[in-house]
Amino acid sequence: MQISRMKTRGISIPLAHPVFEGHFPDRPIVPGSMLIDLVLAAWEDAGGETFTSVPVVKFHRPVAPGDTLVLHFAPTTQGIGAGVRFTCLRE
């Protein structure tokens, strides 16, 4: 299935998730690589095609355990080939 318009998904990472062990002990945050994995999984769950690379990502603020995120994503043809443009914001 192809996605032809903007989609929205909610993402929540439980406080007890093992990713927070050691990242960082005094102020745990969600690693950027996990955020990218969650975004790509949501994209694929919505029917988007699998991506093998993410050429540009900007992280503006840390995401803490228990934060609820709202993901907005849409297909794009800007640049080389097809892709996905997304924003992931804290509620």
Side-chain angles (χ1 to χ4, degrees):
M1 174 173 105
Q2 292 288 328
I3 296 176
S4 60
R5 57 188 168 79
M6 177 77 74
K7 298 279 187 179
T8 301
R9 294 281 187 273
I11 297 174
S12 182
I13 302 143
L15 295 168
H17 195 286
V19 74
F20 298 118
E21 293 175 15
H23 201 272
F24 296 96
D26 295 331
R27 185 174 179 225
I29 62 170
V30 178
S33 58
M34 182 175 184
L35 289 172
I36 293 169
D37 285 346
L38 291 169
V39 166
L40 294 178
W43 171 254
E44 292 173 15
D45 288 347
E49 295 181 20
T50 301
F51 281 87
T52 57
S53 68
V54 181
V56 178
V57 175
K58 291 182 183 178
F59 299 101
H60 295 276
R61 292 188 184 104
V63 176
D67 282 351
T68 300
L69 306 172
V70 177
L71 170 65
H72 303 279
F73 52 91
T76 180
T77 57
Q78 296 176 2
I80 300 171
V84 60
R85 180 169 180 84
F86 65 87
T87 58
C88 189
L89 305 169
R90 285 186 289 187
E91 278 192 328

